[in-house]
Amino acid sequence: MKKIISVSLIIGTLLFAVTGCKDSVDTDETTEEFPVGYSAKYQLTYGESFKIGFSKLERISEVTVILEDSILQTWNNAPKISETSFDITSFGIGVKGLTIKVKDKSGKEFAENQTIRILSDIQPLAQTVKVISLYPHNTEDFTQGLEIVNGLLYEGTGDPNRMGATKVMQKQLKSGEVQKETALDAGYFGEGITILNNKLYQLTWTSQKCFVYDFPSLAKTDLSFSYTGEGWGLTNDGKYLIMSDGSERLYFRDPATFAIKKIIQVYDNAGPIKYLNELEYVDGIVYANVWMSNKIVAIEAETGKVLKSIDCMDLTLKAKGNGDVLNGIAFDHSAKKFYLTGKYWPQLAEVEFSNEQK
């Protein structure tokens, strides 16, 4: 990943009052104007109450406010509604669907849909990378996934030229010597890898297929999974596989079926963090490369809130050489050490994250 990508970004504060008929529907499928006026703040910070006020209620008998398919409140005496506040902290952060349903005194029903964006209430801690040691890395390896198990490095690669360079490999950590490898057919562009329950999982970019290998032999098994969308990064929390797709979302998947069990949206206090790439889970935190940047974000796995923003520019200057973008995070759980590299980089770096700014 990723040579060409088409992304539409919706940018704005979304702080406005709605009194028109945008996105409104009624049960008779007409194009009548939504009969109720309402105003609200549509971009909030986590912990902030959601407030909504109504007008033009004289002919209305019932109003219902729904957030993410959950009814917040229904009023049966609509003309007496005043501005109302709701505690929506249980809905977490990210974009949430809001629906206003009304019924007029003739019994006719109308509905209108909006969205609320909830930002994180945490200012991410700014950190930098301190390079401890540098080790050789093969400049022909387009790194897409990186893990360390029992002191050995496992790497998954991509194949921009579709020449059969997508592999999973077992390497000596400090020498980079390949001890085992298994390649995929030339049509596949490999993405993130992770190791769980004696299996190694490998995503593909656009083929919508996750391959499963025996671990530690790296023999390809007959088991594979299909999914919709793109595959980018992959890690696990010991129970679920955690997958990124280039958006601000992380998907928690059952390792036995690949079914989605939970989705979190990744936000800091300014907005969504998109292009989440290679992932590594450590003690409740998902570390993620942000594609086409020298930044790693540390994400609270339970909530999606960004806790740290790590500037890796110093590492890039020391280890990138003529390589491509930063991509590849591995944590040695035994030694408690982080290792970083990039696509086609000549170096693998042991690093520490520091609060000192350069």
Side-chain angles (χ1 to χ4, degrees), residues 86-99:
F86 298 99
D87 180 355
I88 59 173
T89 54
S90 62
F91 292 89
I93 61 174
V95 172
K96 312 296 175 183
L98 173 71
T99 300

Side-chain angles (χ1 to χ4, degrees), residues 211-268:
F211 291 99
V212 182
Y213 303 80
D214 177 70
F215 181 81
S217 72
L218 303 189
K220 191 165 167 289
T221 71
D222 293 331
L223 181 63
S224 64
F225 301 104
S226 297
Y227 52 88
T228 58
E230 296 183 355
W232 285 43
L234 193 64
T235 187
N236 76 85
D237 62 3
K239 181 179 181 181
Y240 295 122
L241 305 175
I242 305 173
M243 172 182 168
S244 66
D245 64 356
S247 70
E248 73 275 22
R249 291 175 173 82
L250 293 179
Y251 302 83
F252 290 67
R253 293 181 176 271
D254 186 323
T257 65
F258 222 62
I260 296 173
K261 295 300 183 180
K262 182 175 76 169
I263 302 173
I264 62 171
Q265 299 179 57
V266 177
Y267 272 65
D268 63 13

